[in-house]
Amino acid sequence: MLALTFVYEDTKLVVVNKPSGLLSVPGKGEENQDSVETRIRERYPHCTKIPTVHRLDMDTSGLLVLALTKRAKRELSEQFQNREVSKRYIALIEGQLEEEGGTISLPLRMDLDNRPYSVVDLENGKQALTEWRNLGVEGVFTRVEFILHTGRTHQLRLHALHGLGFPIVGDRLYGNGTQAGQMKLHAAYLRFVHPKTQEVLEFISEPDF
């Protein structure tokens, strides 16, 4: 079983470090019930029915916050909807980038004829904005920091492919990954306001790649 690391816990919320290959929420079928949400409900049997506030793709690792009460869920969800939460990701890209950084603005939408894929659609897609910074070339790869300003499905994976010209290492959908747990994309930084104390909470998680 993939290990779920608990970074912070109190009576209102919990922050975990999700391993690559573990679902954020349960999927369809008995074999896809193991998830961060399922484990949180088992650990906190009296928590709100659906504690998930935001999600990471199955193959993305890193920081997730989950709510334990209805009020915390509502207030944290509002912070995400209002883009008041700061999130940064670290990724390895399958190519050598020379640019120091920039902004990627490519609108995205779900590919209704080919789920679970999303596509760039300049006419009908929803706005998607990502900042990126070159952290250094490592052999044939480049380490990149991404800052999300919108939260579209597969945004970083598509912006890497179409905005930078290379897929994320191990990406099964848009790159050359062959199985779960290979993708080198990690949610490394998370900042939000505690719904009860109003304290600004910041968490940093270094990737293992």
Side-chain angles (χ1 to χ4, degrees):
M1 178 182 288
L2 294 167
L4 183 65
T5 305
F6 286 78
V7 178
Y8 176 88
E9 299 175 79
D10 66 22
T11 58
K12 305 300 180 184
L13 60 89
V14 59
V15 177
V16 300
N17 205 355
K18 186 186 86 66
S20 178
L22 178 65
L23 291 165
S24 290
V25 298
K28 295 179 179 179
E30 192 64 33
E31 71 280 6
N32 293 315
Q33 291 308 295
D34 185 29
S35 67
V36 175
E37 182 177 288
T38 307
R39 295 189 193 185
I40 293 300
R41 289 204 303 260
E42 290 173 354
R43 186 181 178 102
Y44 302 95
H46 300 297
C47 75
T48 188
K49 185 176 180 181
I50 302 177
T52 300
V53 177
H54 65 124
R55 302 180 185 185
L56 295 175
D57 293 340
M58 180 180 183
D59 289 350
T60 303
S61 58
L63 295 166
L64 270 177
V65 58
L66 298 101
L68 299 181
T69 68
K70 286 184 178 180
R71 181 172 180 177
K73 168 78 177 285
R74 182 175 67 251
E75 295 186 6
L76 286 170
S77 296
E78 287 178 356
Q79 290 185 48
F80 276 91
Q81 290 166 6
N82 296 332
R83 300 179 188 173
E84 297 165 350
V85 177
S86 295
K87 295 179 287 183
R88 296 177 192 164
Y89 294 75
I90 302 295
L92 278 183
I93 305 299
E94 283 193 11
Q96 298 171 322
L97 299 177
E98 296 181 357
E99 301 92 339
E100 293 185 359
T103 301
I104 302 167
S105 179
L106 291 172
L108 306 174
R109 66 167 174 81
M110 294 292 294
D111 187 347
L112 298 179
D113 298 321
N114 193 21
R115 293 179 181 272
Y117 290 85
S118 290
V119 294
V120 173
D121 187 333
L122 300 179
E123 293 186 0
N124 301 310
K126 293 182 178 179
Q127 178 199 21
L129 184 64
T130 304
E131 279 185 67
W132 71 276
R133 184 165 64 98
N134 189 333
L135 299 180
V137 174
E138 302 178 8
V140 297
F141 303 141
T142 304
R143 186 172 295 264
V144 172
E145 178 187 66
F146 288 118
I147 300 176
L148 270 180
H149 292 285
T150 51
R152 307 303 176 202
T153 300
H154 299 166
Q155 177 172 323
L156 295 181
R157 300 162 79 167
L158 284 163
H159 276 185
L161 179 61
H162 296 287
L164 301 181
F166 301 102
I168 295 172
V169 173
D171 188 338
R172 289 187 291 164
L173 293 182
Y174 307 102
N176 299 307
T178 57
Q179 62 186 29
Q182 292 181 333
M183 189 166 68
K184 306 304 182 187
L185 177 62
H186 184 77
Y189 176 83
L190 184 63
R191 184 182 71 193
F192 58 90
V193 175
H194 193 286
K196 174 68 174 179
T197 67
Q198 299 304 300
E199 177 187 1
V200 175
L201 298 181
E202 288 186 294
F203 300 94
I204 298 174
S205 169
E206 296 295 337
D208 61 2
F209 54 81

